[in-house]
Amino acid sequence: ITGYVKEVNEAKGFLERSLRESGLRPIRSHTNFMLVGVEHRLPPGELLDRLKAQGYLLRGPFGHPALRECIRLTVGPLEVMKGFVESLRLVLSED
């Protein structure tokens, strides 16, 4: 495994744990991106708008019924994902 792949896999593990702790539903994948079910916390569009205001650009909401309540994020280096999780928790606590 290359150094970058190892770093992304480490960040993905951190991100999965953190998302679950925040009440979200990460969907495992073997890629450098992750789908996350957010239906129990905020509508996807609202969450994306709030995260955009924090400087994070994610994808969604999606038209397919199976993905309608999901967002998509690209997994990056661990330090970037730690900053993202802090912003996500801030955004989720605004309600």
Side-chain angles (χ1 to χ4, degrees):
I1 295 181
T2 66
Y4 178 75
V5 172
K6 184 178 177 181
E7 184 176 15
V8 167
N9 285 336
E10 180 181 326
K12 190 184 294 185
F14 164 79
L15 193 54
E16 284 180 13
R17 288 186 303 278
S18 299
L19 292 169
R20 280 193 182 88
E21 290 169 2
S22 296
L24 302 177
R25 187 176 47 89
I27 301 169
R28 290 188 175 211
S29 74
H30 295 285
T31 64
N32 69 334
F33 66 87
M34 185 180 299
L35 287 171
V36 182
V38 300
E39 64 277 1
H40 294 97
R41 296 300 309 261
L42 283 173
E46 185 177 340
L47 181 57
L48 293 177
D49 288 344
R50 290 183 184 188
L51 289 168
K52 184 176 181 180
Q54 295 290 319
Y56 292 96
L57 299 176
L58 289 82
R59 307 245 351 208
F62 301 98
H64 191 281
L67 301 176
R68 193 166 287 135
E69 300 298 324
C70 293
I71 60 172
R72 177 189 153 171
L73 60 105
T74 301
V75 181
L78 183 58
E79 290 306 312
V80 173
M81 295 296 92
K82 286 181 178 179
F84 170 75
V85 167
E86 286 180 29
S87 291
L88 175 66
R89 288 181 176 155
L90 176 69
V91 161
L92 291 174
S93 71
E94 291 175 352
D95 285 341

